[in-house]
Coordinates of all heavy atoms in Angstrom, one line a residue:
M1 N -39.1 -23.6 33.3 CA -38.5 -24.1 32.0 C -39.2 -25.5 31.6 O -39.3 -26.3 32.6 CB -37.1 -24.2 32.0 CG -36.4 -22.8 31.8 SD -34.8 -23.0 31.2 CE -34.0 -23.5 32.7
P2 N -39.5 -25.6 30.4 CA -40.1 -26.9 29.9 C -39.1 -28.1 29.8 O -37.9 -27.8 29.6 CB -40.6 -26.6 28.5 CG -39.9 -25.6 28.1 CD -39.4 -24.7 29.3
I3 N -39.6 -29.2 30.1 CA -38.6 -30.4 29.9 C -38.9 -31.1 28.5 O -40.0 -31.3 28.1 CB -39.0 -31.4 31.0 CG1 -38.9 -30.8 32.4 CG2 -38.3 -32.7 30.8 CD1 -39.4 -31.6 33.4
Y4 N -37.8 -31.2 27.7 CA -37.9 -31.8 26.5 C -37.3 -33.2 26.6 O -36.4 -33.5 27.2 CB -37.1 -30.9 25.5 CG -37.8 -29.6 25.2 CD1 -37.0 -28.5 25.8 CD2 -38.8 -29.4 24.5 CE1 -37.7 -27.2 25.5 CE2 -39.4 -28.1 24.3 CZ -38.8 -27.1 24.8 OH -39.3 -25.8 24.6
E5 N -37.8 -34.0 25.7 CA -37.4 -35.4 25.6 C -36.7 -35.6 24.3 O -37.1 -35.1 23.2 CB -38.6 -36.3 25.5 CG -38.3 -37.7 26.1 CD -39.6 -38.6 26.2 OE1 -40.7 -38.1 26.4 OE2 -39.4 -39.7 25.9
Y6 N -35.5 -36.1 24.4 CA -34.7 -36.3 23.2 C -34.3 -37.7 23.0 O -34.4 -38.6 24.0 CB -33.3 -35.5 23.4 CG -33.5 -34.0 23.2 CD1 -33.7 -33.1 24.4 CD2 -33.5 -33.4 22.0 CE1 -33.8 -31.8 24.3 CE2 -33.6 -32.0 21.9 CZ -33.8 -31.3 23.1 OH -34.0 -30.0 22.9
R7 N -34.0 -38.0 21.9 CA -33.5 -39.4 21.4 C -32.2 -39.1 20.7 O -32.1 -38.4 19.7 CB -34.4 -40.1 20.6 CG -34.1 -41.7 20.5 CD -34.8 -42.3 19.4 NE -34.3 -41.9 18.1 CZ -34.8 -42.1 16.9 NH1 -36.0 -42.7 16.9 NH2 -34.4 -41.7 15.7
C8 N -31.1 -39.8 21.2 CA -29.9 -39.6 20.6 C -29.7 -40.3 19.4 O -30.1 -41.4 19.3 CB -28.8 -40.0 21.7 SG -27.1 -39.9 21.0
G9 N -29.1 -39.6 18.3 CA -28.9 -40.2 17.0 C -27.7 -41.2 17.0 O -27.5 -41.9 16.0
Q10 N -26.9 -41.1 18.1 CA -25.6 -41.8 18.1 C -26.0 -43.1 18.8 O -25.6 -44.2 18.3 CB -24.5 -41.0 18.9 CG -23.3 -41.6 18.7 CD -22.5 -41.2 17.4 OE1 -22.9 -40.2 16.7 NE2 -21.5 -42.0 16.9
C11 N -26.3 -43.1 20.1 CA -26.5 -44.2 20.9 C -27.9 -44.6 21.0 O -28.3 -45.6 21.5 CB -25.8 -44.1 22.3 SG -26.8 -42.9 23.3
E12 N -28.8 -43.8 20.5 CA -30.2 -44.1 20.3 C -30.9 -44.1 21.8 O -31.9 -44.8 21.9 CB -30.5 -45.2 19.5 CG -30.2 -45.0 18.1 CD -30.9 -46.1 17.2 OE1 -31.0 -47.2 17.6 OE2 -31.0 -45.8 16.0
K13 N -30.4 -43.5 22.7 CA -30.9 -43.5 24.1 C -31.8 -42.3 24.3 O -31.4 -41.2 23.7 CB -29.7 -43.4 25.1 CG -29.2 -45.0 25.3 CD -28.2 -44.8 26.4 CE -27.6 -46.2 26.7 NZ -26.3 -46.3 27.4
H14 N -32.8 -42.5 25.0 CA -33.6 -41.4 25.4 C -33.2 -40.6 26.6 O -32.8 -41.3 27.6 CB -35.2 -41.9 25.6 CG -35.8 -42.4 24.3 ND1 -37.1 -42.1 24.0 CD2 -35.4 -43.2 23.3 CE1 -37.4 -42.6 22.8 NE2 -36.3 -43.3 22.4
F15 N -33.4 -39.3 26.6 CA -33.0 -38.6 27.8 C -33.9 -37.2 27.7 O -34.3 -36.8 26.8 CB -31.6 -38.3 27.7 CG -31.1 -37.4 26.7 CD1 -31.1 -36.1 26.7 CD2 -30.6 -38.0 25.5 CE1 -30.6 -35.2 25.7 CE2 -30.2 -37.2 24.4 CZ -30.1 -35.9 24.6
D16 N -34.1 -36.7 29.0 CA -34.8 -35.6 29.2 C -33.9 -34.5 29.4 O -32.7 -34.6 30.0 CB -35.8 -35.7 30.5 CG -36.8 -36.7 30.2 OD1 -37.2 -36.9 29.1 OD2 -37.1 -37.4 31.2
A17 N -34.2 -33.3 28.9 CA -33.3 -32.0 29.1 C -34.2 -30.9 29.5 O -35.2 -30.5 28.8 CB -32.6 -31.8 27.9
T18 N -33.9 -30.3 30.6 CA -34.7 -29.0 30.9 C -33.9 -27.8 30.3 O -32.9 -27.5 30.8 CB -34.8 -28.9 32.5 OG1 -35.3 -30.1 33.0 CG2 -35.7 -27.8 32.8
Q19 N -34.5 -27.3 29.4 CA -34.0 -26.0 28.8 C -35.0 -25.1 28.2 O -36.2 -25.4 28.3 CB -33.1 -26.6 27.6 CG -33.8 -27.5 26.6 CD -32.9 -28.2 25.7 OE1 -33.5 -28.6 24.5 NE2 -31.6 -28.3 25.9
S20 N -34.5 -24.0 27.9 CA -35.3 -22.8 27.5 C -36.1 -23.3 26.2 O -35.6 -24.2 25.5 CB -34.6 -21.6 27.3 OG -33.8 -21.5 26.2
V21 N -37.0 -22.5 25.8 CA -37.9 -22.8 24.7 C -37.0 -22.5 23.4 O -37.3 -23.0 22.3 CB -39.1 -21.9 24.7 CG1 -40.1 -22.2 23.6 CG2 -39.8 -21.9 26.0
H22 N -36.0 -21.6 23.6 CA -35.3 -21.2 22.3 C -34.1 -22.3 22.1 O -33.4 -22.1 21.1 CB -34.7 -19.8 22.6 CG -35.8 -18.8 22.9 ND1 -36.7 -18.2 22.0 CD2 -36.0 -18.2 24.1 CE1 -37.5 -17.6 22.6 NE2 -37.1 -17.5 23.9
A23 N -33.8 -23.1 23.0 CA -32.7 -24.2 22.8 C -33.0 -25.0 21.6 O -34.2 -25.3 21.5 CB -32.6 -24.9 24.2
R24 N -31.9 -25.3 20.8 CA -32.3 -26.0 19.6 C -31.8 -27.5 19.9 O -31.0 -27.7 20.7 CB -31.3 -25.5 18.5 CG -31.9 -24.1 18.0 CD -31.1 -23.6 16.9 NE -29.7 -23.4 17.2 CZ -28.7 -23.3 16.3 NH1 -29.0 -23.2 15.1 NH2 -27.4 -23.2 16.7
A25 N -32.4 -28.4 19.2 CA -32.2 -29.8 19.3 C -30.7 -30.1 19.1 O -30.0 -30.9 19.7 CB -32.9 -30.6 18.4
E26 N -30.1 -29.4 17.9 CA -28.7 -29.7 17.5 C -27.7 -29.2 18.6 O -26.5 -29.5 18.5 CB -28.4 -29.0 16.2 CG -28.8 -27.5 16.1 CD -30.3 -27.5 15.4 OE1 -31.1 -28.4 15.6 OE2 -30.5 -26.7 14.5
D27 N -28.2 -28.3 19.5 CA -27.3 -27.9 20.6 C -27.2 -28.8 21.8 O -26.5 -28.6 22.7 CB -27.6 -26.5 21.0 CG -27.4 -25.4 19.9 OD1 -26.5 -25.6 19.0 OD2 -28.1 -24.4 19.9
T28 N -28.1 -29.7 21.7 CA -28.3 -30.6 23.0 C -27.3 -31.6 22.9 O -27.3 -32.4 21.9 CB -29.9 -31.1 23.0 OG1 -30.7 -30.0 23.0 CG2 -30.0 -31.8 24.3
E29 N -26.6 -31.8 24.0 CA -25.5 -32.9 24.0 C -26.2 -34.1 24.7 O -26.8 -34.0 25.8 CB -24.4 -32.4 24.8 CG -23.2 -33.3 24.5 CD -21.9 -32.8 25.3 OE1 -21.9 -32.9 26.5 OE2 -21.2 -31.9 24.7
C30 N -26.0 -35.2 24.2 CA -26.4 -36.6 24.8 C -25.6 -36.7 26.1 O -24.3 -36.7 26.1 CB -26.2 -37.6 23.9 SG -26.5 -39.3 24.5
P31 N -26.2 -37.0 27.2 CA -25.5 -37.2 28.5 C -24.9 -38.7 28.6 O -24.0 -38.9 29.3 CB -26.6 -37.2 29.5 CG -27.9 -37.6 28.8 CD -27.7 -37.2 27.5
H32 N -25.2 -39.4 27.6 CA -24.6 -40.8 27.4 C -23.4 -40.9 26.7 O -22.3 -41.5 27.0 CB -25.6 -41.9 27.0 CG -26.9 -41.8 27.8 ND1 -27.0 -42.4 29.1 CD2 -28.2 -41.3 27.4 CE1 -28.3 -42.2 29.4 NE2 -28.9 -41.6 28.6
C33 N -23.4 -40.4 25.5 CA -22.3 -40.5 24.6 C -21.8 -39.1 24.1 O -20.8 -39.0 23.5 CB -22.6 -41.3 23.3 SG -23.7 -40.5 22.3
H34 N -22.5 -38.0 24.7 CA -22.1 -36.7 24.3 C -22.0 -36.3 23.0 O -21.2 -35.4 22.5 CB -20.6 -36.4 25.0 CG -20.6 -36.6 26.6 ND1 -21.1 -35.7 27.4 CD2 -20.2 -37.6 27.3 CE1 -21.2 -36.2 28.6 NE2 -20.5 -37.4 28.6
A35 N -22.7 -36.9 22.2 CA -22.9 -36.6 20.7 C -24.1 -35.5 20.6 O -25.0 -35.6 21.2 CB -23.3 -37.9 20.0
Q36 N -23.8 -34.6 19.6 CA -24.8 -33.6 19.5 C -25.7 -33.8 18.2 O -25.8 -33.2 17.3 CB -24.0 -32.2 19.3 CG -23.4 -31.7 20.5 CD -22.8 -30.4 20.5 OE1 -22.3 -30.0 19.4 NE2 -23.1 -29.5 21.5
S37 N -26.3 -35.1 18.3 CA -27.1 -35.5 17.2 C -28.5 -36.0 17.7 O -29.0 -36.9 17.2 CB -26.4 -36.5 16.4 OG -26.2 -37.6 17.2
A38 N -29.0 -35.2 18.8 CA -30.2 -35.6 19.4 C -31.4 -35.0 18.6 O -31.3 -34.0 18.1 CB -30.2 -35.3 20.9
T39 N -32.4 -35.7 18.5 CA -33.7 -35.2 18.0 C -34.8 -34.9 19.1 O -34.9 -35.9 19.9 CB -34.3 -36.1 16.8 OG1 -34.1 -37.4 17.3 CG2 -33.4 -36.1 15.6
R40 N -35.4 -33.9 19.0 CA -36.4 -33.6 20.1 C -37.6 -34.4 19.7 O -38.2 -34.5 18.7 CB -36.7 -32.1 20.0 CG -37.6 -31.7 21.2 CD -37.9 -30.2 21.3 NE -36.6 -29.4 21.5 CZ -36.8 -28.2 21.5 NH1 -37.8 -27.4 21.2 NH2 -35.6 -27.5 21.9
L41 N -38.1 -35.1 20.8 CA -39.3 -35.7 20.8 C -40.4 -35.0 21.4 O -40.2 -34.4 22.5 CB -39.2 -37.2 21.5 CG -38.0 -38.1 21.1 CD1 -38.0 -39.3 22.0 CD2 -38.3 -38.6 19.7
L42 N -41.6 -35.0 20.9 CA -42.7 -34.2 21.5 C -43.2 -35.1 22.7 O -44.0 -36.1 22.5 CB -43.9 -34.0 20.5 CG -43.5 -33.1 19.3 CD1 -44.6 -33.1 18.2 CD2 -43.3 -31.6 19.9
S43 N -42.8 -34.7 23.9 CA -43.5 -35.5 25.1 C -44.9 -35.2 25.3 O -45.1 -34.2 25.8 CB -42.6 -35.2 26.3 OG -42.5 -33.6 26.3
A44 N -45.7 -36.0 24.7 CA -47.2 -35.8 24.6 C -47.8 -35.7 25.9 O -48.5 -34.8 26.1 CB -47.8 -36.9 23.7
C45 N -47.3 -36.5 26.8 CA -48.0 -36.7 28.0 C -48.0 -35.4 28.9 O -49.0 -34.8 29.4 CB -47.5 -37.7 28.9 SG -45.8 -37.8 29.1
T46 N -46.6 -34.8 29.1 CA -46.5 -33.6 29.8 C -47.3 -32.3 29.2 O -48.0 -31.6 29.9 CB -45.2 -33.2 30.0 OG1 -44.5 -33.3 28.8 CG2 -44.5 -34.2 31.0
T47 N -47.2 -32.1 27.9 CA -47.9 -30.9 27.3 C -49.3 -31.2 27.3 O -50.1 -30.2 27.5 CB -47.3 -30.8 25.8 OG1 -47.4 -32.1 25.2 CG2 -45.9 -30.2 25.7
Q48 N -49.8 -32.4 27.1 CA -51.3 -32.5 27.0 C -51.9 -32.3 28.4 O -53.0 -31.6 28.4 CB -51.7 -33.9 26.5 CG -51.9 -34.0 24.9 CD -52.2 -35.4 24.5 OE1 -52.6 -36.3 25.3 NE2 -52.2 -35.5 23.2
V49 N -51.4 -32.9 29.4 CA -51.9 -32.6 30.7 C -51.9 -31.2 31.0 O -52.9 -30.7 31.6 CB -51.1 -33.5 31.8 CG1 -51.5 -33.1 33.2 CG2 -51.4 -35.0 31.4
K50 N -50.9 -30.5 30.8 CA -50.7 -29.2 31.0 C -51.8 -28.4 30.3 O -52.5 -27.4 30.9 CB -49.3 -28.6 30.7 CG -48.5 -28.4 32.0 CD -47.1 -27.7 31.5 CE -46.3 -27.5 32.7 NZ -44.9 -27.0 32.2
G51 N -51.9 -28.8 29.0 CA -52.8 -27.9 28.1 C -54.3 -28.1 28.7 O -55.0 -27.2 28.7
T52 N -54.8 -29.4 28.9 CA -56.2 -29.5 29.2 C -56.5 -28.9 30.6 O -57.5 -28.3 30.8 CB -56.5 -31.0 29.3 OG1 -55.5 -31.7 30.0 CG2 -56.7 -31.6 27.9
H53 N -55.5 -28.9 31.5 CA -55.7 -28.5 32.8 C -55.8 -26.9 32.7 O -56.7 -26.3 33.4 CB -54.5 -28.7 33.8 CG -54.7 -28.2 35.2 ND1 -55.6 -28.9 36.1 CD2 -54.2 -27.1 35.7 CE1 -55.6 -28.2 37.2 NE2 -54.8 -27.2 37.1
K54 N -55.1 -26.3 31.9 CA -55.1 -24.9 31.8 C -56.4 -24.4 31.1 O -57.0 -23.6 31.6 CB -54.0 -24.4 30.8 CG -52.8 -23.8 31.6 CD -51.8 -23.0 30.9 CE -50.7 -22.3 31.6 NZ -49.6 -21.8 30.7
T55 N -56.8 -24.9 30.0 CA -58.0 -24.6 29.3 C -59.2 -24.8 30.3 O -60.1 -24.0 30.3 CB -58.3 -25.4 28.0 OG1 -57.9 -26.7 28.3 CG2 -57.3 -24.9 26.9
G56 N -59.2 -25.9 31.0 CA -60.3 -26.1 31.9 C -60.5 -25.0 33.0 O -61.5 -24.7 33.3
F57 N -59.3 -24.8 33.5 CA -59.2 -23.6 34.4 C -59.7 -22.3 33.9 O -60.5 -21.6 34.5 CB -57.8 -23.6 35.0 CG -57.8 -22.6 36.2 CD1 -58.3 -23.0 37.4 CD2 -57.1 -21.4 36.1 CE1 -58.1 -22.0 38.4 CE2 -57.1 -20.4 37.1 CZ -57.6 -20.8 38.3
A58 N -59.3 -22.1 32.7 CA -59.7 -20.8 32.1 C -61.1 -20.8 31.8 O -61.8 -19.7 31.9 CB -58.9 -20.7 30.7
E59 N -61.7 -21.9 31.4 CA -63.2 -21.9 31.1 C -64.0 -21.8 32.3 O -64.9 -21.1 32.4 CB -63.6 -23.3 30.5 CG -63.4 -23.4 28.9 CD -63.5 -24.6 28.5 OE1 -64.1 -25.6 29.0 OE2 -63.0 -25.0 27.3
M60 N -63.4 -22.3 33.4 CA -64.1 -22.1 34.7 C -64.1 -20.6 35.2 O -65.1 -20.2 35.6 CB -63.4 -23.0 35.8 CG -63.6 -24.4 35.8 SD -65.1 -25.1 36.6 CE -64.5 -25.0 38.3
K61 N -63.0 -20.0 35.0 CA -62.9 -18.6 35.3 C -63.9 -17.8 34.5 O -64.4 -16.8 35.0 CB -61.4 -18.2 35.1 CG -61.0 -17.2 36.2 CD -59.6 -17.0 36.0 CE -59.1 -15.8 37.0 NZ -57.7 -15.4 36.7
A62 N -63.9 -18.2 33.1 CA -64.8 -17.5 32.3 C -66.2 -17.6 32.7 O -67.0 -16.7 32.6 CB -64.6 -18.0 30.9
Y63 N -66.7 -18.8 33.2 CA -68.0 -18.9 33.6 C -68.3 -18.1 34.9 O -69.3 -17.6 35.0 CB -68.2 -20.4 33.8 CG -68.6 -21.2 32.6 CD1 -68.0 -22.2 32.1 CD2 -69.8 -20.8 31.8 CE1 -68.2 -22.9 30.9 CE2 -70.1 -21.5 30.7 CZ -69.4 -22.5 30.2 OH -69.8 -23.2 29.0
N64 N -67.2 -18.1 35.7 CA -67.4 -17.5 36.9 C -67.5 -15.9 36.6 O -68.4 -15.2 37.2 CB -66.1 -17.6 37.9 CG -66.2 -18.9 38.6 OD1 -67.2 -19.5 38.6 ND2 -65.1 -19.2 39.2
M65 N -66.9 -15.3 35.7 CA -66.9 -14.0 35.2 C -68.2 -13.6 34.8 O -68.8 -12.5 35.0 CB -65.8 -13.6 34.3 CG -64.4 -13.3 35.1 SD -63.1 -13.2 33.8 CE -63.4 -11.5 33.3
L66 N -68.8 -14.6 34.0 CA -70.1 -14.4 33.3 C -71.1 -14.3 34.4 O -72.1 -13.5 34.3 CB -70.3 -15.6 32.4 CG -71.4 -15.3 31.3 CD1 -70.8 -14.4 30.2 CD2 -71.8 -16.7 30.6
D67 N -71.0 -15.2 35.4 CA -72.0 -15.3 36.5 C -71.9 -14.0 37.2 O -72.9 -13.4 37.5 CB -71.6 -16.4 37.5 CG -72.3 -17.6 37.1 OD1 -73.1 -17.7 36.1 OD2 -71.8 -18.7 37.6
E68 N -70.7 -13.4 37.4 CA -70.6 -12.1 38.0 C -71.2 -11.0 37.3 O -72.0 -10.2 38.0 CB -69.2 -11.8 38.4 CG -68.5 -12.2 39.7 CD -67.2 -12.0 39.8 OE1 -66.6 -10.8 39.6 OE2 -66.4 -12.8 40.3
R69 N -71.1 -11.0 36.1 CA -71.6 -10.0 35.2 C -73.2 -10.1 35.3 O -73.8 -9.0 35.3 CB -71.2 -10.1 33.7 CG -69.9 -9.4 33.6 CD -69.3 -9.4 32.2 NE -68.0 -9.1 32.0 CZ -67.3 -9.1 30.9 NH1 -68.0 -9.4 29.8 NH2 -66.2 -9.0 30.9
M70 N -73.7 -11.3 35.1 CA -75.1 -11.4 35.2 C -75.6 -10.9 36.6 O -76.7 -10.5 36.6 CB -75.6 -13.0 35.0 CG -75.1 -13.4 33.7 SD -76.2 -12.7 32.4 CE -77.6 -13.6 32.4
D71 N -74.9 -11.2 37.7 CA -75.3 -10.6 38.9 C -75.5 -9.3 39.0 O -76.3 -8.6 39.5 CB -74.2 -11.3 40.0 CG -74.8 -11.6 41.2 OD1 -76.0 -12.2 41.2 OD2 -74.4 -11.1 42.4
K72 N -74.5 -8.5 38.3 CA -74.5 -7.1 38.3 C -75.6 -6.6 37.4 O -76.3 -5.6 37.8 CB -73.1 -6.5 37.7 CG -72.1 -6.5 38.7 CD -70.7 -6.0 38.1 CE -69.6 -6.3 39.2 NZ -68.3 -6.1 38.5
F73 N -75.9 -7.3 36.3 CA -77.0 -6.9 35.5 C -78.4 -7.1 36.2 O -79.3 -6.3 36.1 CB -77.1 -7.7 34.3 CG -76.2 -7.1 33.1 CD1 -75.1 -7.8 32.5 CD2 -76.5 -5.8 32.6 CE1 -74.3 -7.2 31.6 CE2 -75.7 -5.2 31.7 CZ -74.6 -6.0 31.1
A74 N -78.4 -8.1 37.1 CA -79.7 -8.4 37.7 C -80.0 -7.2 38.7 O -81.1 -7.0 39.1 CB -79.6 -9.8 38.4
K75 N -78.8 -6.6 39.2 CA -79.1 -5.6 40.2 C -79.4 -4.2 39.6 O -79.8 -3.2 40.3 CB -77.8 -5.3 41.0 CG -77.6 -6.4 42.2 CD -76.2 -6.5 42.7 CE -76.0 -7.7 43.6 NZ -74.7 -7.9 44.0
L76 N -79.4 -4.1 38.3 CA -79.6 -2.8 37.6 C -81.0 -2.5 37.4 O -81.4 -1.4 37.7 CB -78.9 -2.8 36.2 CG -77.4 -2.5 36.1 CD1 -76.9 -2.7 34.6 CD2 -77.2 -1.0 36.6
P77 N -82.0 -3.4 37.0 CA -83.3 -3.0 36.8 C -84.1 -2.3 37.9 O -84.7 -1.3 37.6 CB -84.0 -4.3 36.5 CG -82.9 -5.2 35.9 CD -81.6 -4.8 36.5
P78 N -83.8 -2.6 39.2 CA -84.5 -1.9 40.2 C -84.1 -0.4 40.2 O -85.0 0.5 40.5 CB -83.9 -2.5 41.5 CG -83.6 -3.9 41.1 CD -83.2 -3.8 39.7
L79 N -82.8 -0.1 40.0 CA -82.5 1.3 39.9 C -83.1 2.1 38.7 O -83.6 3.2 39.0 CB -80.8 1.3 39.7 CG -80.0 1.4 40.9 CD1 -78.6 1.2 40.6 CD2 -80.2 2.8 41.7
M80 N -83.2 1.5 37.6 CA -83.9 2.1 36.4 C -85.4 2.2 36.7 O -86.0 3.2 36.4 CB -83.7 1.3 35.2 CG -82.2 1.3 34.6 SD -81.8 0.1 33.3 CE -82.6 1.0 32.0
G81 N -85.9 1.3 37.5 CA -87.4 1.3 37.8 C -87.7 2.6 38.6 O -88.7 3.2 38.5
K82 N -86.8 2.8 39.6 CA -86.9 3.9 40.4 C -87.0 5.3 39.8 O -87.7 6.1 40.0 CB -85.8 4.0 41.5 CG -86.2 3.5 42.9 CD -85.1 3.6 43.9 CE -85.3 3.0 45.2 NZ -84.3 3.1 46.2
R83 N -86.0 5.3 38.7 CA -86.0 6.6 37.9 C -87.2 6.6 37.1 O -87.7 7.8 36.8 CB -84.7 6.5 36.9 CG -83.5 6.9 37.8 CD -82.2 6.8 36.9 NE -82.1 8.0 36.1 CZ -81.2 8.1 35.1 NH1 -80.4 7.1 34.9 NH2 -81.2 9.2 34.4
A84 N -87.8 5.6 36.6 CA -88.9 5.6 35.7 C -90.2 5.9 36.4 O -91.2 6.6 36.0 CB -89.0 4.2 34.9
A85 N -90.2 5.6 37.7 CA -91.5 5.7 38.5 C -92.1 7.2 38.5 O -93.2 7.4 38.3 CB -91.2 5.2 39.8
P86 N -91.2 8.3 38.8 CA -91.7 9.6 38.8 C -92.3 10.0 37.4 O -93.4 10.8 37.4 CB -90.6 10.5 39.2 CG -89.6 9.5 39.7 CD -89.8 8.2 39.1
D87 N -91.6 9.6 36.4 CA -92.2 10.0 35.1 C -93.6 9.3 34.8 O -94.4 10.0 34.0 CB -91.2 9.4 34.0 CG -90.0 10.1 34.1 OD1 -89.9 11.3 34.6 OD2 -88.9 9.6 33.6
M88 N -93.8 8.2 35.3 CA -95.1 7.5 35.1 C -96.3 8.3 35.7 O -97.4 8.3 35.2 CB -95.1 6.1 35.8 CG -94.2 5.2 35.1 SD -94.7 4.6 33.6 CE -95.9 3.3 34.1
T89 N -96.0 9.1 36.8 CA -97.1 9.9 37.4 C -97.5 11.2 36.7 O -98.7 11.6 36.7 CB -96.7 10.3 38.9 OG1 -95.5 10.9 38.8 CG2 -96.6 8.9 39.7
E90 N -96.6 11.7 35.9 CA -96.9 13.1 35.3 C -98.0 13.0 34.3 O -98.8 13.8 34.3 CB -95.5 13.5 34.6 CG -94.7 14.3 35.6 CD -93.5 15.0 35.0 OE1 -93.4 15.5 34.0 OE2 -92.3 14.5 35.5
P91 N -98.0 11.9 33.4 CA -99.0 12.0 32.3 C -100.5 11.8 33.0 O -101.5 12.4 32.4 CB -98.9 10.8 31.4 CG -97.4 10.5 31.7 CD -97.0 10.9 33.1
S92 N -100.5 11.3 34.1 CA -101.9 11.1 34.8 C -102.3 12.3 35.7 O -103.1 12.1 36.6 CB -101.8 9.7 35.6 OG -100.9 9.8 36.5
D93 N -101.6 13.4 35.5 CA -101.9 14.7 36.2 C -103.3 15.2 35.8 O -103.3 15.5 34.5 CB -100.8 15.5 36.1 CG -101.0 16.8 37.1 OD1 -102.0 16.9 37.8 OD2 -99.8 17.5 37.4
P94 N -104.4 15.3 36.5 CA -105.6 15.9 36.0 C -105.6 17.3 35.6 O -106.5 17.7 34.9 CB -106.5 15.6 37.3 CG -105.5 15.4 38.5 CD -104.3 14.9 37.9
S95 N -104.8 18.2 36.2 CA -104.7 19.5 35.9 C -104.4 19.8 34.4 O -104.7 20.9 33.9 CB -103.7 20.3 36.8 OG -102.5 20.0 36.8
T96 N -103.6 18.9 33.8 CA -103.3 19.0 32.4 C -104.0 18.1 31.5 O -103.6 17.6 30.6 CB -101.7 18.8 32.2 OG1 -101.4 17.5 32.9 CG2 -100.9 19.8 33.0
G97 N -105.3 17.9 31.8 CA -106.0 16.9 31.2 C -106.7 17.4 30.0 O -107.8 16.9 29.5
G98 N -106.4 18.7 29.5 CA -106.8 19.3 28.2 C -108.1 20.0 28.4 O -108.4 20.4 29.6
T99 N -109.0 20.0 27.4 CA -110.3 20.8 27.4 C -111.4 20.0 28.1 O -111.6 18.8 27.9 CB -110.7 21.3 26.0 OG1 -110.7 20.1 25.2 CG2 -109.8 22.3 25.6
T100 N -112.2 20.8 28.9 CA -113.4 20.1 29.5 C -114.6 20.8 29.0 O -114.8 22.0 29.1 CB -113.3 20.2 31.0 OG1 -112.9 21.5 31.4 CG2 -112.4 19.1 31.6
E101 N -115.6 20.2 28.4 CA -116.7 20.8 27.6 C -117.9 20.7 28.7 O -118.7 19.9 28.6 CB -117.1 20.0 26.5 CG -116.0 20.3 25.4 CD -116.3 19.5 24.1 OE1 -117.2 19.8 23.4 OE2 -115.5 18.5 23.9
N102 N -117.9 21.7 29.6 CA -119.0 21.8 30.6 C -119.6 23.1 30.7 O -119.2 24.2 30.8 CB -118.4 21.4 32.1 CG -118.9 20.1 32.4 OD1 -119.7 19.5 31.7 ND2 -118.2 19.5 33.2
Ligands
ZN201 ZN1 -26.0 -40.7 22.9

């Protein structure tokens, strides 16, 4: 569960509250004066650190997946080359070389 930072509108004290995403600011009770007039502050540090770390990790994973795919593609051409090799010999067969004027 995320930690939200609040500022009490009554005593103007700051406090943290661990609550669900659906919790509303007006339902949050101040632990100091128990007034329900707190306003949620965007705790920039926690969300930003989490965000950058996540995207960085996702990018790393994406690059790894790309490398893996490139590796698989690199292994494909030899297989196709093997299949193409027998076809290459057929046109050069001398018995089907057309008419000979002798
Ligand atoms: Zn308060």
Side-chain angles (χ1 to χ4, degrees):
M1 277 204 286
I3 299 169
Y4 293 106
E5 208 180 320
Y6 286 95
R7 195 195 67 194
C8 178
Q10 193 79 27
C11 67
E12 293 195 336
K13 276 178 181 167
H14 288 228
F15 62 92
D16 298 326
T18 310
Q19 48 190 204
S20 76
V21 191
H22 307 290
R24 293 182 301 168
E26 46 265 39
D27 294 333
T28 308
E29 194 179 83
C30 172
H32 305 286
C33 67
H34 299 283
Q36 288 186 322
S37 57
T39 46
R40 187 180 288 178
L41 307 170
L42 293 170
S43 46
C45 50
T46 47
T47 45
Q48 264 183 11
V49 168
K50 258 188 180 176
T52 48
H53 184 75
K54 257 191 175 175
T55 44
F57 186 72
E59 272 170 28
M60 288 273 283
K61 218 175 176 185
Y63 275 121
N64 280 346
M65 278 169 77
L66 201 73
D67 276 350
E68 262 176 49
R69 274 187 202 178
M70 291 298 273
D71 214 44
K72 276 176 189 168
F73 272 121
K75 282 169 188 168
L76 275 176
L79 270 167
M80 287 171 79
K82 260 187 183 178
R83 280 179 78 187
D87 293 338
M88 292 288 279
T89 53
E90 270 181 58
S92 58
D93 196 342
S95 61
T96 54
T99 51
T100 41
E101 291 174 76
N102 259 344

